[in-house]
Amino acid sequence: MALVEEKDFGTPARRSEQNVTLTIDGQRTTVRAGTSILRAAAECGTEIPKLCSTDSLEAFGSCRLCLVEIEGRAGTPASCTTPVVEGMIVRTQTDRLARIRRGVMELYISDHPLDCLTCAANGDCELQDMAGAVGLREVRYGYAGENHLADVKDQSNPYFTYDPAKCIVCSRCVRACDEVQGTFALTIAGRGFESRVAASAGEAFLDSECVSCGACVQACPTATLIEKSVIEIGQPEHSVVTTCAYCGVGCSFKAEMRGDTVVRMVPYKDGKANHGHSCVKGRFAWGYTTHRERILKPMIRERIEDPWREVSWDEAIGRVASEFKRIQTQYGPRAIGGITSSRCTDEETFLLQKLVRAGFGNNNIDTCARVCHSPTGYGLKTTFGTSAGTQDFDSVEQADVIVVMGANPTDGHPVFASRMKQRLRQGAKLIVIDPRRIDLVHTPHIDAAWHLPLQPGTNVAMLTAFAHVIVTEGLVNEEFVKARCDLAAFEEWTAFVREPRNSPEAMADITGVPADTIRSAARLYATGGNAAFYYGLGITEHSQGSTAVIAIANLAMATGNIGRPGVGVNPLRGQNNVQGSCDMGSFPHELSGYRHISDAATRSLFEADWGTHLDDEPGLRISNMLDSAIGGRFKGLYIQGEDIAQSDPDTTHVIDGLKAMECVVVQDIFLCETAHYAHVFLPGSTFLEKDGTFINAERRIQRVRKVMEPRNGLADWEITLAIAKAMGYPMHYDHPSQIMDEIARLTPTFSGVSFERLDELGSIQWPCNEKAPEGTPVMHMGGFVRGLGNFVITEYVPTDERTGPRFPLLLTTGRILSQYNVGAQTRRTKNIVWHEEDKLEIHPHDAEQRGIRTGDWVKLQSRSGATSLRAVVTDRVAPGVVYTTFHHPDTQANVVTTDYSDWATNCPEYKVTAVQVSPSNGPTDWQRAYEAESAHNTRIAETLAAAE
Ligand code: SF4
Ligand code: SF4
Ligand code: SF4
Ligand code: FES
């Protein structure tokens, strides 16, 4: 196997409709108008030496290495900054050019360490390559002159180093940070010979504004900015293209390997979701895959109070099967169930729901999407007819107005946020609707047109007030509505939203946002050109989560902002495969492709293929399984890659449910919180250890490719197969591609998908079938999946969770860039330097009333429970609102969240909890006990690792 090489064309591709024909070194070539000579040459196989240009960045023209001669023009212009012209005749190789290029290289090399043989970039250094390409044999100026060889390295970043002695001041890093990442953390400080790259105001990288995306490292042509892993392990020898296992953006990476060790993850330029960019998690935070705390052997125990006992795979699988069969005999076939994981592949998810439906003989299957985006599924299916976002990410490039609501893309979906920021810097208008002043509101070269800091829990009121403005001010796109929507439903809806009680004036007190601000933002959405909604869990995790999704869909239909590029309704999916886990039939009432289990025709299709009878009754949701366990009827649960004891609401209720079961099987890579209540622990595999597919937030199906053998011995899909066989329902697959073939056979929206096709096309956005053999980037073009778009009335119903004298503040929660969900992976990487603990943000007014200062320990108390954490006093949150992240189990924000949930889907209301905050002396009793137990577990893991 070799390294996957990606050609660098020097400057970005142009999209012009017009072509230009020119001659380069006697060869006629035709390229898009606006293309640089450098790129035109590269496209026809002529490599012009270059240093300061690369095709992910606009040309800068500073190194003077790419000079060419153009017939009829004086001088030697830089080919990277000179666009092609019809009929142009270019020469790239002449004696004069060779002399100039050698002279340029001499100057660079005279101020560069001569340590090529011992340099970590040896073999992967463009300076080295260019010295060879221009035929440099000697440096006339010697090396004794003024130079930077003694400049001090900056090693502060945990993942990369900056060695100024090797810097050629090409500014590729600065431009990568500006153009690609949009953080503007780097500058070239000083002038002339003194010029050097500076992070922020000359700070160490770690202390600067740098968010560690690594774009500068990737852009650097020398070893100046280089991954520490390359220095430690050496240059990679081969690579495999795979997909990030963190968030729903779904970035493609080349896993670059030396032997079976990952040297680095390099974002793949051909990745359709990320176009060669990444964030700190995908690029750098893969160390958890080999972390010493990973469990690699199956373990069982009789009672959850007993110590774990390592056993063989056979014994563990045998225990699962015998216990599940015993429970079914004793308590009935519906006494067991399963939970799929949005971290696992589509194929693994499909297998697990198949095991439950066909092997267990019931529909007690649910997924962690229940606790995040189930309202998206319900809301979009009700209005548009299908449960997925409407656009591809590229669509944002054509948006004129971008609404971000209940989402924090720069932390939660950073690579897409960078794309969004590029469009905003080009002039698109931004409306942020969020209780918190997220970074996007004011970020370099971007200022939101409107920030609407609404009270948590009032999304539906806000969205319906938007609708009121649009309907009463005559801003409805009548033509679109008449052509595409159900007119009776539309009339009913307009009559409802017109009511004065839905006006911004009436809603101002409820939302906390002045009426004229709501009116202005609504007008901008309706009249500003292509308008696109992007939303996250701040929309869905509410008692009216589904209603809010419907309200957004109503707005898109009323204004005609649906069914073409640049517009749409776009849920920013949280986990890497949350879309896939829903698509694969993880919900108790739906088979793959969102077809109801009660539909006899669909059922019979599966029954014929699976050779078994399927229960036509929808099964239990996660919360119902727990209730039923507490009620003594539900006794066994197979949980794949999901930590419900930490991620689900009302932790006490979850724990009571788990404790009430007789056989809890947890399959995970670490001994997670839920494993404390398990009887069998099956060690799971990581994304690097298996084949399969993930589906990202834009419905894009992408390959996950095995880069190393599973350290635990079995990939997750193989574990499920073993359980199925032991339960007496053997399934036969030699490779996950065969599972995808079955998915395609049984799911109309996937009928054109196969691993071969994915390898051929790179990725596919479903629906992919005879009508759309290469997939569907933008949905609902020409017509909605359900036929006519369905307007639905969105009555605002305040949550039952109310503030009062005892709990006067509203808590809302979110994520931080460096950490991921419950932190099981990211806390086991060096990302921990950016976020050692969860903190509570509180407004200065509320803090002063309570005598709280930044850094103080505070107690966060709700009706459900209490936890303690440190405070940060900030006006990012509005008065009356507090905010925290939920990445650390020793804080457990979910101890305080309630068991209120979305009326339609049971998605928990994580985003609104009435709380009180008061000064405290430190962690609560349960937190101290937890810390002690964690330290104990860590010592055991270290002892076991040392013994191995
Ligand atoms: S650090 Fe690298 S990319 Fe940046 S200016 Fe120096 S050589 Fe160029
Ligand atoms: S790592 Fe990313 S954010 Fe940091 S300086 Fe480099 S490009 Fe900028
Ligand atoms: S944006 Fe998401 S998918 Fe992309 S690298 Fe970061 S965590 Fe991975
Ligand atoms: S590559 Fe054109 S001037 Fe540097």
Side-chain angles (χ1 to χ4, degrees):
M1 223 188 301
L3 281 169
V4 175
E5 297 289 351
E6 290 178 285
K7 186 175 165 103
D8 184 351
F9 291 90
T11 60
R14 297 296 178 222
R15 289 195 188 144
S16 169
E17 298 290 307
Q18 286 175 344
N19 287 338
V20 168
T21 299
L22 72 162
T23 304
I24 300 175
D25 293 339
Q27 187 182 354
R28 267 171 73 82
T29 185
T30 300
V31 294
R32 301 273 183 218
T35 302
S36 70
I37 295 174
L38 180 68
R39 186 176 179 108
E43 285 182 8
C44 66
T46 298
E47 303 300 333
I48 300 175
K50 64 175 190 61
L51 271 175
C52 70
S53 73
T54 184
D55 59 11
S56 57
L57 304 172
E58 289 303 325
F60 189 57
S62 71
C63 75
R64 310 300 296 164
L65 203 60
C66 68
L67 310 183
V68 291
E69 292 177 5
I70 301 173
E71 214 165 276
R73 277 201 210 175
T76 51
S79 62
C80 62
T81 49
T82 310
V84 293
V85 172
E86 184 67 34
M88 186 182 247
I89 297 175
V90 179
R91 276 185 292 279
T92 72
Q93 308 294 337
T94 66
D95 288 348
R96 174 165 72 143
L97 292 173
R99 254 194 329 275
I100 299 174
R101 287 179 190 147
R102 268 200 295 275
V104 170
M105 283 307 296
E106 270 187 279
L107 285 171
Y108 279 126
I109 298 295
S110 66
D111 182 16
H112 197 82
L114 295 176
D115 62 354
C116 283
L117 286 182
T118 53
C119 177
N122 188 18
D124 182 30
C125 171
E126 292 182 39
L127 190 69
Q128 191 181 42
D129 294 345
M130 289 306 115
V134 305
L136 187 70
R137 298 285 173 262
E138 58 169 345
V139 173
R140 287 167 294 165
Y141 317 114
Y143 305 99
E146 206 179 1
N147 59 47
H148 298 87
L149 302 184
D151 288 6
V152 180
K153 272 190 198 177
D154 176 353
Q155 312 223 47
S156 60
N157 186 286
Y159 296 116
F160 60 83
T161 63
Y162 167 60
D163 181 356
K166 293 182 172 165
C167 180
I168 58 170
V169 202
C170 64
S171 94
R172 272 162 67 161
C173 54
V174 179
R175 287 177 284 139
C177 193
D178 296 356
E179 293 174 26
V180 179
Q181 166 58 24
T183 294
F184 295 81
L186 301 179
T187 49
I188 301 287
R191 284 169 178 270
F193 179 77
E194 300 301 325
S195 303
R196 266 323 178 238
V197 172
S200 296
E203 290 156 83
F205 268 81
L206 190 62
D207 303 328
S208 73
E209 288 144 22
C210 165
V211 294
S212 231
C213 71
C216 55
V217 179
Q218 192 174 341
C220 182
T222 65
T224 313
L225 285 161
I226 191 168
E227 297 91 346
K228 287 182 175 172
S229 56
V230 175
I231 298 172
E232 281 155 21
I233 305 169
Q235 282 289 324
E237 295 162 330
H238 61 273
S239 55
V240 180
V241 175
T242 190
T243 304
C244 179
Y246 277 116
C247 87
V249 176
C251 296
S252 270
F253 281 90
K254 292 182 289 181
E256 295 199 338
M257 316 282 297
R258 197 172 171 90
D260 64 355
T261 302
V262 178
V263 176
R264 64 181 170 192
M265 298 291 279
V266 179
Y268 189 44
K269 280 201 294 192
D270 275 353
K272 303 273 191 333
N274 58 321
H275 300 291
H277 190 37
S278 76
C279 80
V280 61
K281 296 187 286 289
R283 192 193 292 263
F284 294 124
W286 34 268
Y288 72 87
T289 59
T290 52
H291 193 275
R292 64 177 191 279
E293 285 173 7
R294 231 185 110 180
I295 306 289
L296 299 172
K297 303 240 168 64
M299 303 188 295
I300 60 175
R301 57 186 176 184
E302 302 305 318
R303 301 172 314 136
I304 60 171
E305 295 79 18
D306 296 340
W308 285 109
R309 186 163 62 84
E310 282 187 1
V311 293
S312 66
W313 273 109
D314 282 350
E315 187 174 348
I317 299 289
R319 170 66 68 91
V320 175
S322 64
E323 273 298 279
F324 280 175
K325 284 198 275 194
R326 174 189 67 75
I327 289 171
Q328 287 196 303
T329 308
Q330 203 171 332
Y331 301 100
R334 290 180 177 164
I336 62 173
I339 297 178
T340 66
S341 170
S342 294
R343 325 306 317 277
C344 286
T345 63
D346 294 315
E347 293 72 16
E348 286 161 348
T349 305
F350 185 83
L351 269 197
L352 179 46
Q353 62 89 35
K354 178 175 176 179
L355 169 67
V356 170
R357 298 187 202 276
F360 294 0
N362 64 50
N363 292 309
N364 293 335
I365 182 77
D366 206 2
T367 175
C368 40
R370 168 75 54 215
V371 300
C372 60
H373 267 290
S374 48
T376 289
Y378 181 89
L380 297 187
K381 187 156 189 188
T382 306
T383 47
F384 300 157
T386 199
S387 303
T390 62
Q391 312 297 117
D392 59 359
F393 289 146
D394 288 351
S395 165
V396 78
E397 290 174 9
Q398 295 180 55
D400 302 307
V401 178
I402 296 172
V403 186
V404 175
M405 186 166 185
N408 185 6
T410 51
D411 283 59
H413 302 83
V415 165
F416 177 63
S418 291
R419 295 285 297 286
M420 194 184 258
K421 287 196 286 185
Q422 283 168 1
R423 182 63 190 153
L424 293 168
R425 290 198 302 274
Q426 288 166 359
K429 299 277 187 301
L430 173 66
I431 301 169
V432 173
I433 310 175
D434 199 282
R436 195 164 163 263
R437 196 180 65 236
I438 59 171
D439 283 347
L440 265 183
V441 174
H442 300 295
T443 196
H445 305 287
I446 294 167
D447 279 307
W450 298 104
H451 174 213
L452 280 52
L454 78 180
Q455 282 289 299
T458 63
N459 289 331
V460 171
M462 176 64 77
L463 291 161
T464 307
F466 264 49
H468 178 93
V469 175
I470 288 162
V471 167
T472 56
E473 296 191 10
L475 305 179
V476 168
N477 184 333
E478 302 281 353
E479 199 185 328
F480 180 90
V481 171
K482 273 191 198 123
R484 300 279 306 269
C485 302
D486 181 328
L487 289 180
F490 173 69
E491 294 304 337
E492 251 182 78
W493 177 76
T494 47
F496 162 73
V497 298
R498 269 180 192 286
E499 292 177 37
R501 68 195 172 99
N502 289 321
S503 68
E505 289 68 22
M507 293 299 191
D509 274 352
I510 294 169
T511 60
V513 178
D516 53 351
T517 307
I518 300 177
R519 281 191 182 276
S520 302
R523 287 176 196 139
L524 177 59
Y525 173 74
T527 63
N530 283 343
F533 249 99
Y534 292 89
Y535 71 88
L537 303 184
I539 284 289
T540 55
E541 289 179 342
H542 288 274
S543 59
Q544 281 203 289
S546 292
T547 318
V549 174
I550 288 169
I552 293 172
N554 287 340
L555 290 177
M557 290 188 289
T559 54
N561 277 310
I562 185 86
R564 65 177 187 278
V567 297
V569 178
N570 303 283
L572 293 173
R573 296 279 187 157
Q575 304 201 64
N576 55 321
N577 200 33
V578 67
Q579 178 71 55
S581 71
C582 299
D583 299 342
M584 291 300 109
S586 289
F587 289 123
H589 64 293
E590 279 172 342
L591 288 154
S592 60
Y594 304 97
R595 288 159 302 156
H596 207 279
I597 191 75
S598 63
D599 179 56
T602 306
R603 242 184 11 261
S604 63
L605 186 74
F606 282 81
E607 286 173 340
D609 201 277
W610 294 352
T612 189
H613 170 75
L614 296 182
D615 191 348
D616 62 358
E617 278 281 310
L620 300 174
R621 298 172 173 181
I622 295 173
S623 54
N624 305 132
M625 292 183 205
L626 295 165
D627 288 342
S628 185
I630 293 166
R633 296 177 305 283
F634 189 83
K635 295 289 182 181
L637 184 56
Y638 174 20
I639 307 171
Q640 189 175 73
E642 168 68 356
D643 194 1
I644 59 171
Q646 199 182 339
S647 62
D648 282 37
D650 198 351
T651 311
T652 315
H653 176 250
V654 176
I655 291 170
D656 289 347
L658 290 169
K659 279 183 171 170
M661 297 183 204
E662 294 180 7
C663 182
V664 174
V665 179
V666 167
Q667 184 171 320
D668 215 317
I669 54 177
F670 296 110
L671 215 47
C672 57
E673 294 306 299
T674 310
H676 295 313
Y677 308 95
H679 305 84
V680 180
F681 185 90
L682 303 174
S685 51
T686 71
F687 76 113
L688 295 173
E689 299 164 339
K690 56 196 178 188
D691 280 299
T693 55
F694 292 152
I695 304 177
N696 76 352
E698 32 160 27
R699 296 168 279 106
R700 189 180 296 285
I701 310 161
Q702 304 189 98
R703 278 296 315 275
V704 177
R705 293 186 178 87
K706 185 159 92 171
V707 305
M708 60 177 74
E709 289 306 315
R711 294 180 73 223
N712 54 326
L714 294 174
D716 289 300
W717 63 276
E718 293 171 306
I719 300 170
T720 306
L721 281 192
I723 294 175
K725 188 171 172 205
M727 295 271 308
Y729 181 73
M731 308 186 219
H732 305 284
Y733 309 94
D734 300 320
H735 190 268
S737 62
Q738 297 164 348
I739 307 172
M740 179 52 86
D741 292 342
E742 181 171 320
I743 295 165
R745 199 162 65 232
L746 293 170
T747 317
T749 41
F750 282 71
S751 65
V753 182
S754 66
F755 277 30
E756 294 74 33
R757 198 82 178 112
L758 284 166
D759 289 343
E760 201 183 310
L761 296 175
S763 63
I764 298 173
Q765 286 175 270
W766 66 258
C768 173
N769 44 33
E770 321 75 56
K771 280 197 222 147
E774 300 205 345
T776 310
V778 176
M779 293 196 78
H780 314 300
M781 291 174 80
F784 287 101
V785 169
R786 72 182 297 282
L788 294 174
N790 184 28
F791 283 87
V792 179
I793 287 176
T794 54
E795 190 78 57
Y796 168 62
V797 181
T799 168
D800 288 339
E801 179 70 358
R802 305 280 169 85
T803 53
R806 274 184 69 210
F807 302 110
L809 303 172
L810 283 177
L811 169 73
T812 189
T813 58
R815 284 208 249 148
I816 199 163
L817 170 67
S818 62
Q819 294 299 311
Y820 190 73
N821 279 11
V822 297
Q825 290 133 301
T826 42
R827 279 185 289 107
R828 291 180 172 96
T829 69
K830 292 172 185 165
N831 277 25
I832 206 71
V833 301
W834 289 287
H835 188 72
E836 286 176 331
E837 58 186 327
D838 291 323
K839 292 184 178 162
L840 187 81
E841 290 185 2
I842 182 167
H843 189 271
H845 172 75
D846 298 320
E848 193 185 346
Q849 278 186 337
R850 292 164 175 77
I852 293 167
R853 287 160 309 173
T854 291
D856 287 353
W857 277 95
V858 293
K859 183 175 177 188
L860 179 68
Q861 172 93 50
S862 74
R863 291 178 185 90
S864 298
T867 187
S868 279
L869 65 178
R870 274 187 242 263
V872 176
V873 179
T874 170
D875 64 0
R876 282 177 79 110
V877 287
V881 177
V882 290
Y883 165 89
T884 186
T885 49
F886 46 76
H887 302 305
H888 287 267
D890 53 359
T891 314
Q892 291 251 4
N894 288 343
V895 167
V896 297
T897 52
T898 66
D899 59 0
Y900 293 123
S901 62
D902 174 45
W903 62 271
T905 65
N906 271 158
C907 181
E909 188 169 51
Y910 284 134
K911 300 298 179 190
V912 193
T913 309
V915 292
Q916 178 58 288
V917 176
S918 51
S920 83
N921 294 328
T924 57
D925 288 347
W926 74 258
Q927 286 173 289
R928 288 185 207 283
Y930 179 86
E931 273 169 28
E933 192 184 332
S934 301
H936 176 70
N937 287 342
T938 304
R939 276 198 301 279
I940 292 175
E942 280 170 355
T943 311
L944 287 173
E948 272 186 12

